[in-house]
Short mmCIF file of all heavy atoms in Angstrom, two decimals:
data_model
loop_
_atom_site.label_atom_id
_atom_site.label_comp_id
_atom_site.label_asym_id
_atom_site.label_seq_id
_atom_site.Cartn_x
_atom_site.Cartn_y
_atom_site.Cartn_z
N ASP A 1 0.85 -1.19 0.00
CA ASP A 1 0.01 0.01 0.01
C ASP A 1 0.87 1.27 -0.01
O ASP A 1 2.09 1.17 -0.04
CB ASP A 1 -0.95 0.00 1.19
CG ASP A 1 -2.19 0.84 0.92
OD1 ASP A 1 -2.24 1.47 -0.16
OD2 ASP A 1 -3.09 0.87 1.76
N GLY A 2 0.23 2.42 0.05
CA GLY A 2 0.96 3.67 0.00
C GLY A 2 1.44 4.11 1.37
O GLY A 2 1.23 3.43 2.40
N ASP A 3 2.08 5.27 1.43
CA ASP A 3 2.57 5.85 2.65
C ASP A 3 1.42 6.20 3.57
O ASP A 3 0.45 6.84 3.16
CB ASP A 3 3.42 7.08 2.31
CG ASP A 3 4.20 7.57 3.52
OD1 ASP A 3 4.01 7.00 4.61
OD2 ASP A 3 4.96 8.53 3.39
N VAL A 4 1.53 5.84 4.84
CA VAL A 4 0.47 6.10 5.80
C VAL A 4 0.24 7.61 5.94
O VAL A 4 -0.91 8.07 6.07
CB VAL A 4 0.83 5.48 7.16
CG1 VAL A 4 -0.24 5.84 8.21
CG2 VAL A 4 0.93 3.97 7.05
N CYS A 5 1.31 8.39 5.94
CA CYS A 5 1.16 9.86 6.08
C CYS A 5 0.31 10.44 4.95
O CYS A 5 -0.51 11.32 5.19
CB CYS A 5 2.53 10.53 6.12
SG CYS A 5 3.52 10.13 7.57
N HIS A 6 0.51 9.95 3.74
CA HIS A 6 -0.29 10.47 2.62
C HIS A 6 -1.75 10.02 2.73
O HIS A 6 -2.65 10.76 2.34
CB HIS A 6 0.33 9.99 1.28
CG HIS A 6 1.60 10.65 0.94
ND1 HIS A 6 2.81 10.24 1.41
CD2 HIS A 6 1.85 11.75 0.16
CE1 HIS A 6 3.77 11.01 0.93
NE2 HIS A 6 3.22 11.92 0.20
N HIS A 7 -1.98 8.82 3.26
CA HIS A 7 -3.37 8.40 3.47
C HIS A 7 -4.06 9.31 4.48
O HIS A 7 -5.20 9.72 4.25
CB HIS A 7 -3.38 6.95 3.97
CG HIS A 7 -3.16 5.93 2.90
ND1 HIS A 7 -3.90 5.93 1.72
CD2 HIS A 7 -2.34 4.87 2.81
CE1 HIS A 7 -3.51 4.93 0.96
NE2 HIS A 7 -2.56 4.27 1.61
N VAL A 8 -3.37 9.64 5.56
CA VAL A 8 -3.96 10.52 6.57
C VAL A 8 -4.17 11.91 5.97
O VAL A 8 -5.20 12.57 6.22
CB VAL A 8 -3.04 10.59 7.80
CG1 VAL A 8 -3.59 11.58 8.82
CG2 VAL A 8 -2.92 9.22 8.44
N HIS A 9 -3.20 12.40 5.15
CA HIS A 9 -3.36 13.69 4.54
C HIS A 9 -4.57 13.71 3.60
O HIS A 9 -5.38 14.65 3.63
CB HIS A 9 -2.08 13.99 3.75
CG HIS A 9 -2.15 15.28 2.98
ND1 HIS A 9 -2.21 16.51 3.57
CD2 HIS A 9 -2.20 15.52 1.62
CE1 HIS A 9 -2.26 17.46 2.66
NE2 HIS A 9 -2.28 16.88 1.46
N ASN A 10 -4.74 12.70 2.79
CA ASN A 10 -5.88 12.62 1.86
C ASN A 10 -7.19 12.52 2.64
O ASN A 10 -8.19 13.13 2.25
CB ASN A 10 -5.73 11.44 0.92
CG ASN A 10 -4.53 11.60 -0.04
OD1 ASN A 10 -4.12 12.71 -0.32
ND2 ASN A 10 -4.02 10.49 -0.51
N ALA A 11 -7.19 11.76 3.73
CA ALA A 11 -8.41 11.66 4.53
C ALA A 11 -8.76 12.99 5.16
O ALA A 11 -9.94 13.37 5.21
CB ALA A 11 -8.22 10.59 5.60
N ALA A 12 -7.75 13.71 5.68
CA ALA A 12 -7.99 15.01 6.27
C ALA A 12 -8.54 16.01 5.23
O ALA A 12 -9.42 16.80 5.51
CB ALA A 12 -6.71 15.54 6.91
N LYS A 13 -7.98 15.98 4.01
CA LYS A 13 -8.47 16.87 2.95
C LYS A 13 -9.91 16.57 2.60
O LYS A 13 -10.72 17.49 2.43
CB LYS A 13 -7.57 16.73 1.72
CG LYS A 13 -6.22 17.40 1.86
CD LYS A 13 -5.37 17.19 0.61
CE LYS A 13 -6.02 17.80 -0.62
NZ LYS A 13 -5.17 17.66 -1.80
N ALA A 14 -10.24 15.30 2.50
CA ALA A 14 -11.60 14.91 2.17
C ALA A 14 -12.59 15.32 3.28
O ALA A 14 -13.71 15.76 3.02
CB ALA A 14 -11.71 13.41 1.93
N PHE A 15 -12.16 15.17 4.53
CA PHE A 15 -13.01 15.53 5.65
C PHE A 15 -13.24 17.03 5.73
O PHE A 15 -14.34 17.49 6.05
CB PHE A 15 -12.38 15.05 6.97
CG PHE A 15 -13.14 15.43 8.20
CD1 PHE A 15 -14.29 14.77 8.58
CD2 PHE A 15 -12.70 16.50 8.97
CE1 PHE A 15 -14.98 15.15 9.74
CE2 PHE A 15 -13.39 16.89 10.09
CZ PHE A 15 -14.54 16.20 10.48
N CYS A 16 -12.22 17.84 5.41
CA CYS A 16 -12.31 19.28 5.54
C CYS A 16 -12.85 19.96 4.27
O CYS A 16 -13.03 21.20 4.29
CB CYS A 16 -10.94 19.88 5.86
SG CYS A 16 -10.27 19.33 7.47
N LYS A 17 -13.07 19.22 3.22
CA LYS A 17 -13.54 19.83 1.98
C LYS A 17 -14.83 20.62 2.10
O LYS A 17 -14.96 21.70 1.54
CB LYS A 17 -13.66 18.76 0.90
CG LYS A 17 -13.96 19.31 -0.50
CD LYS A 17 -13.96 18.19 -1.52
CE LYS A 17 -14.22 18.76 -2.92
NZ LYS A 17 -14.22 17.69 -3.94
N PRO A 18 -15.83 20.13 2.86
CA PRO A 18 -17.10 20.91 2.99
C PRO A 18 -16.90 22.26 3.67
O PRO A 18 -17.75 23.15 3.51
CB PRO A 18 -18.00 19.99 3.82
CG PRO A 18 -17.46 18.62 3.62
CD PRO A 18 -15.99 18.80 3.47
N PHE A 19 -15.83 22.44 4.43
CA PHE A 19 -15.61 23.71 5.13
C PHE A 19 -14.97 24.77 4.22
O PHE A 19 -14.77 25.92 4.64
CB PHE A 19 -14.71 23.49 6.34
CG PHE A 19 -15.31 22.52 7.33
CD1 PHE A 19 -14.87 21.20 7.36
CD2 PHE A 19 -16.29 22.92 8.19
CE1 PHE A 19 -15.42 20.31 8.28
CE2 PHE A 19 -16.82 22.04 9.13
CZ PHE A 19 -16.39 20.72 9.16
N LYS A 20 -14.63 24.40 2.98
CA LYS A 20 -14.15 25.33 1.95
C LYS A 20 -12.92 26.10 2.41
O LYS A 20 -12.81 27.31 2.15
CB LYS A 20 -15.26 26.28 1.52
CG LYS A 20 -16.45 25.56 0.91
CD LYS A 20 -17.54 26.53 0.51
CE LYS A 20 -18.73 25.81 -0.10
NZ LYS A 20 -19.82 26.74 -0.50
N SER A 21 -12.01 25.44 3.11
CA SER A 21 -10.72 26.01 3.53
C SER A 21 -10.89 27.29 4.34
O SER A 21 -10.08 28.22 4.26
CB SER A 21 -9.85 26.30 2.30
OG SER A 21 -9.60 25.12 1.57
N PHE A 22 -11.93 27.34 5.19
CA PHE A 22 -12.16 28.55 5.98
C PHE A 22 -11.00 28.81 6.94
O PHE A 22 -10.51 29.92 7.04
CB PHE A 22 -13.48 28.40 6.75
CG PHE A 22 -13.78 29.56 7.66
CD1 PHE A 22 -14.35 30.71 7.16
CD2 PHE A 22 -13.46 29.51 9.01
CE1 PHE A 22 -14.61 31.79 8.00
CE2 PHE A 22 -13.72 30.58 9.86
CZ PHE A 22 -14.30 31.73 9.34
N ILE A 23 -10.56 27.79 7.66
CA ILE A 23 -9.48 27.94 8.62
C ILE A 23 -8.18 28.26 7.92
O ILE A 23 -7.40 29.13 8.36
CB ILE A 23 -9.33 26.66 9.48
CG1 ILE A 23 -10.60 26.42 10.29
CG2 ILE A 23 -8.12 26.76 10.39
CD1 ILE A 23 -10.87 27.49 11.30
N GLU A 24 -7.89 27.56 6.80
CA GLU A 24 -6.64 27.80 6.10
C GLU A 24 -6.53 29.21 5.57
O GLU A 24 -5.50 29.86 5.67
CB GLU A 24 -6.51 26.78 4.92
CG GLU A 24 -6.31 25.36 5.36
CD GLU A 24 -7.61 24.63 5.63
OE1 GLU A 24 -8.64 25.33 5.79
OE2 GLU A 24 -7.62 23.37 5.66
N LEU A 25 -7.66 29.74 5.02
CA LEU A 25 -7.64 31.12 4.52
C LEU A 25 -7.47 32.12 5.66
O LEU A 25 -6.85 33.18 5.49
CB LEU A 25 -8.95 31.39 3.77
CG LEU A 25 -9.14 30.58 2.46
CD1 LEU A 25 -10.50 30.87 1.88
CD2 LEU A 25 -8.03 30.90 1.47
N LEU A 26 -8.05 31.81 6.82
CA LEU A 26 -7.87 32.70 7.98
C LEU A 26 -6.38 32.79 8.37
O LEU A 26 -5.86 33.89 8.61
CB LEU A 26 -8.67 32.16 9.17
CG LEU A 26 -8.43 32.86 10.50
CD1 LEU A 26 -8.83 34.34 10.44
CD2 LEU A 26 -9.17 32.15 11.63
N TYR A 27 -5.69 31.65 8.36
CA TYR A 27 -4.27 31.65 8.72
C TYR A 27 -3.45 32.38 7.67
O TYR A 27 -2.48 33.05 7.99
CB TYR A 27 -3.78 30.23 8.89
CG TYR A 27 -4.41 29.47 10.04
CD1 TYR A 27 -4.55 28.11 10.05
CD2 TYR A 27 -4.90 30.20 11.14
CE1 TYR A 27 -5.12 27.44 11.12
CE2 TYR A 27 -5.51 29.54 12.21
CZ TYR A 27 -5.60 28.16 12.18
OH TYR A 27 -6.17 27.52 13.24
N TYR A 28 -3.82 32.26 6.40
CA TYR A 28 -3.14 33.02 5.35
C TYR A 28 -3.27 34.52 5.58
O TYR A 28 -2.33 35.29 5.46
CB TYR A 28 -3.73 32.68 3.98
CG TYR A 28 -3.13 31.44 3.32
CD1 TYR A 28 -3.96 30.45 2.85
CD2 TYR A 28 -1.77 31.32 3.17
CE1 TYR A 28 -3.44 29.32 2.23
CE2 TYR A 28 -1.23 30.20 2.57
CZ TYR A 28 -2.05 29.19 2.10
OH TYR A 28 -1.52 28.10 1.49
N ASP A 29 -4.49 34.98 5.95
CA ASP A 29 -4.74 36.40 6.17
C ASP A 29 -3.99 36.93 7.38
O ASP A 29 -3.42 38.03 7.33
CB ASP A 29 -6.24 36.65 6.34
CG ASP A 29 -7.03 36.38 5.07
OD1 ASP A 29 -6.41 36.40 4.00
OD2 ASP A 29 -8.24 36.13 5.15
N LEU A 30 -3.97 36.15 8.46
CA LEU A 30 -3.27 36.58 9.68
C LEU A 30 -1.78 36.73 9.37
O LEU A 30 -1.15 37.71 9.78
CB LEU A 30 -3.50 35.60 10.80
CG LEU A 30 -4.91 35.54 11.40
CD1 LEU A 30 -4.97 34.45 12.47
CD2 LEU A 30 -5.28 36.87 12.00
N PHE A 31 -1.22 35.76 8.69
CA PHE A 31 0.22 35.83 8.39
C PHE A 31 0.53 37.00 7.49
O PHE A 31 1.51 37.70 7.70
CB PHE A 31 0.64 34.52 7.72
CG PHE A 31 2.07 34.49 7.29
CD1 PHE A 31 3.09 34.33 8.20
CD2 PHE A 31 2.38 34.69 5.96
CE1 PHE A 31 4.44 34.33 7.79
CE2 PHE A 31 3.71 34.69 5.53
CZ PHE A 31 4.72 34.50 6.44
N SER A 32 -0.31 37.24 6.45
CA SER A 32 -0.05 38.33 5.51
C SER A 32 -0.18 39.68 6.16
O SER A 32 0.58 40.62 5.85
CB SER A 32 -1.02 38.21 4.32
OG SER A 32 -0.86 36.98 3.66
N ASP A 33 -1.14 39.84 7.11
CA ASP A 33 -1.31 41.14 7.78
C ASP A 33 -0.05 41.59 8.48
O ASP A 33 0.37 42.75 8.37
CB ASP A 33 -2.47 41.04 8.79
CG ASP A 33 -3.82 41.16 8.12
OD1 ASP A 33 -3.86 41.46 6.92
OD2 ASP A 33 -4.82 40.94 8.79
N PHE A 34 0.58 40.71 9.23
CA PHE A 34 1.73 41.05 10.03
C PHE A 34 3.03 40.95 9.27
O PHE A 34 4.03 41.57 9.67
CB PHE A 34 1.77 40.20 11.29
CG PHE A 34 0.62 40.41 12.21
CD1 PHE A 34 -0.46 39.58 12.21
CD2 PHE A 34 0.60 41.51 13.08
CE1 PHE A 34 -1.54 39.80 13.07
CE2 PHE A 34 -0.45 41.74 13.93
CZ PHE A 34 -1.52 40.89 13.92
N LYS A 35 3.07 40.18 8.20
CA LYS A 35 4.31 40.03 7.46
C LYS A 35 4.68 41.33 6.77
O LYS A 35 5.87 41.72 6.73
CB LYS A 35 4.18 38.92 6.43
CG LYS A 35 5.42 38.75 5.55
CD LYS A 35 5.23 37.66 4.52
CE LYS A 35 6.48 37.52 3.65
NZ LYS A 35 6.33 36.47 2.60
N TRP A 36 3.73 42.02 6.20
CA TRP A 36 4.01 43.20 5.38
C TRP A 36 3.85 44.53 6.13
O TRP A 36 3.95 45.58 5.50
CB TRP A 36 3.11 43.20 4.15
CG TRP A 36 3.18 41.95 3.36
CD1 TRP A 36 2.25 40.97 3.21
CD2 TRP A 36 4.32 41.49 2.57
NE1 TRP A 36 2.68 39.95 2.41
CE2 TRP A 36 3.98 40.24 2.02
CE3 TRP A 36 5.58 42.01 2.32
CZ2 TRP A 36 4.84 39.52 1.21
CZ3 TRP A 36 6.46 41.29 1.54
CH2 TRP A 36 6.08 40.06 0.98
N SER A 37 3.59 44.50 7.43
CA SER A 37 3.37 45.76 8.16
C SER A 37 4.14 45.74 9.48
O SER A 37 3.68 45.14 10.47
CB SER A 37 1.88 45.98 8.41
OG SER A 37 1.70 47.16 9.17
N PRO A 38 5.32 46.37 9.55
CA PRO A 38 6.05 46.46 10.82
C PRO A 38 5.26 47.21 11.89
O PRO A 38 5.38 46.89 13.08
CB PRO A 38 7.31 47.21 10.44
CG PRO A 38 7.44 47.04 8.96
CD PRO A 38 6.05 46.97 8.43
N ASP A 39 4.43 48.20 11.51
CA ASP A 39 3.64 48.95 12.48
C ASP A 39 2.62 48.05 13.18
O ASP A 39 2.43 48.12 14.40
CB ASP A 39 2.93 50.11 11.80
CG ASP A 39 3.88 51.16 11.27
OD1 ASP A 39 4.96 51.30 11.87
OD2 ASP A 39 3.58 51.82 10.27
N LEU A 40 1.95 47.19 12.41
CA LEU A 40 0.98 46.28 13.01
C LEU A 40 1.68 45.29 13.94
O LEU A 40 1.15 44.94 15.00
CB LEU A 40 0.23 45.55 11.90
CG LEU A 40 -0.75 46.38 11.06
CD1 LEU A 40 -1.46 45.48 10.06
CD2 LEU A 40 -1.75 47.12 11.94
N ARG A 41 2.87 44.83 13.53
CA ARG A 41 3.59 43.89 14.38
C ARG A 41 3.99 44.55 15.72
O ARG A 41 3.89 43.94 16.77
CB ARG A 41 4.86 43.41 13.67
CG ARG A 41 4.58 42.42 12.55
CD ARG A 41 5.82 41.60 12.23
NE ARG A 41 6.95 42.42 11.83
CZ ARG A 41 7.21 42.78 10.57
NH1 ARG A 41 6.41 42.36 9.60
NH2 ARG A 41 8.27 43.49 10.28
N GLU A 42 4.39 45.81 15.65
CA GLU A 42 4.79 46.50 16.87
C GLU A 42 3.58 46.73 17.78
O GLU A 42 3.68 46.51 19.01
CB GLU A 42 5.41 47.85 16.50
CG GLU A 42 5.92 48.64 17.68
CD GLU A 42 6.55 49.94 17.28
OE1 GLU A 42 6.67 50.20 16.05
OE2 GLU A 42 6.94 50.73 18.17
#
């Protein structure tokens, strides 16, 4: 069979598909806000 880690990854992607990457997009936004603004980081 295949690598167990990839099986878990595929299962997690299938489970989270109905949520339309809501959490992932939130983390992208948080990271981008503070990466490009030293004032916001301070």
Side-chain angles (χ1 to χ4, degrees):
D1 205 356
D3 190 356
V4 175
C5 293
H6 288 84
H7 282 310
V8 176
H9 176 68
N10 293 336
K13 286 179 61 177
F15 176 79
C16 297
K17 188 176 181 180
F19 300 100
K20 299 180 180 180
S21 301
F22 177 81
I23 297 296
E24 292 86 342
L25 294 176
L26 171 63
Y27 295 153
Y28 275 128
D29 293 339
L30 291 177
F31 176 78
S32 300
D33 280 352
F34 295 99
K35 178 182 179 181
W36 305 111
S37 178
D39 294 331
L40 291 182
R41 288 201 300 270
E42 183 179 356

